């Protein structure tokens, strides 16, 4: 079970879009972090917000006073989500994992349409059995209800599933829901000690495949 945003998709081009609309490029990372923060806050109150609507509103707040035409800038940046590339290791890594006979699905806090577009652009759609989103779930990840929704949709027990993500908060949530976990650490980051440790740490999806089934990295 794969997270999509940042785990499979590469968000780094967003910084250039911020520059193009007249905002500092570092705001891209700040904006995405604030989007997740506010999504988690709403999840804690029992709400299930739209990722796109929340993202656009968070952008308006970040861009106010930074650019002239805020609405045009928001539209331009949000449209980049439908054009993002995958990380360099993703195509080979997905092929390798699929060759091991592993059933591949996504579980994203974003929309299934974004995941579908990402896979269509990279000829990966045929490797995934299901594209799932919390749009159809009771709550966002890392709430347990999100992972339970995905398990039920796949007809799978938690003990037979693994969550693959770059986000430690997602790893922690999946662990607490009973799933095995794999943390993709492409940047040699330090895993936060306050989250449940992943079962596997891998430097890429190719490395993950090698650890799971002996695929040559």
């Amino acid at each position: 079970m794969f997270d999509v945003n940042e785990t499979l998709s590469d968000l780094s081009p967003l910084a250039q879009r911020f520059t193009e609309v007249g905002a500092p490029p570092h705001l891209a990372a700040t904006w995405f972090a604030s989007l997740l923060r506010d999504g988690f806050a709403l999840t804690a109150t029992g709400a299930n917000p739209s990722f796109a609507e929340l993202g656009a509103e968070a952008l308006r707040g970040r861009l106010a006073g930074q650019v002239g035409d805020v609405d045009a800038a928001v539209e331009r940046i949000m449209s980049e989500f439908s054009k993002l590339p995958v990380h360099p290791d993703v195509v080979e890594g997905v092929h390798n994992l699929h060759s091991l006979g592993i059933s591949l699905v996504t579980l994203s806090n974003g929309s299934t349409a974004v995941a579908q577009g990402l896979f269509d652009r990279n000829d990966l759609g045929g490797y995934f059995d299901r594209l799932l989103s919390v749009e159809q779930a009771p709550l966002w990840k890392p709430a347990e209800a999100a992972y339970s929704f995905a398990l039920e949709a796949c007809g799978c027990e938690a003990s037979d599933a693994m969550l693959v993500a770059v986000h430690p908060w997602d790893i922690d949530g999946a662990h607490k829901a009973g799933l095995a976990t794999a943390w993709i650490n492409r940047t040699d980051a330090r895993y936060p000690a306050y989250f449940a440790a992943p079962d596997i740490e891998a430097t890429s999806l190719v490395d993950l495949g090698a650890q799971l089934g002996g695929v040559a990295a």
Side-chain angles (χ1 to χ4, degrees):
M1 188 181 302
F2 288 85
D3 174 54
V4 176
N5 291 324
E6 292 191 291
T7 298
L8 300 178
S9 64
D10 182 359
L11 271 59
S12 61
L14 290 176
Q16 179 60 31
R17 295 298 171 268
F18 273 75
T19 299
E20 290 171 359
V21 302
H26 71 265
L27 277 186
T30 305
W31 162 69
F32 192 72
S34 68
L35 160 59
L36 293 178
R37 178 202 64 202
D38 292 349
F40 298 159
L42 289 167
T43 296
T45 66
N48 186 348
S50 161
F51 186 92
E53 292 175 7
L54 191 61
E57 186 61 21
L59 261 181
R60 290 187 182 95
R62 292 288 169 184
L63 295 177
Q66 298 278 347
V67 302
D69 190 338
V70 172
D71 287 339
V74 168
E75 182 177 354
R76 184 166 187 178
I77 292 169
M78 290 302 296
S79 69
E80 183 65 23
F81 263 98
S82 64
K83 305 172 186 175
L84 289 171
V86 293
H87 288 285
D89 60 286
V90 168
V91 172
E92 181 182 356
V94 166
H95 290 177
N96 289 352
L97 290 164
H98 185 267
S99 72
L100 295 174
I102 298 172
S103 177
L104 308 181
V105 302
T106 65
L107 178 60
S108 177
N109 281 343
S111 71
T112 54
V114 169
Q116 185 66 65
L118 183 73
F119 295 158
D120 287 347
R121 292 192 302 278
N122 294 278
D123 296 322
L124 289 175
Y127 293 90
F128 286 82
D129 296 327
R130 287 178 177 268
L131 303 184
L132 301 175
S133 165
V134 299
E135 290 174 323
Q136 292 81 43
L139 295 168
W140 276 31
K141 298 180 297 176
E144 183 176 355
Y147 306 101
S148 296
F149 152 76
L151 293 170
E152 183 176 353
C154 295
C156 180
E157 297 294 328
S159 57
D160 295 324
M162 170 178 282
L163 187 281
V164 180
V166 298
H167 305 289
W169 55 261
D170 206 352
I171 296 295
D172 185 75
H175 171 82
K176 289 174 179 172
L179 287 73
T181 57
W183 182 45
I184 306 303
N185 182 12
R186 296 186 176 98
T187 61
D188 195 28
R190 183 180 183 276
Y191 192 87
Y194 43 77
F195 287 133
D199 295 296
I200 295 175
E201 179 177 340
T203 58
S204 67
L205 294 192
V206 177
D207 181 31
L208 176 62
Q211 293 192 50
L212 289 177
V215 176

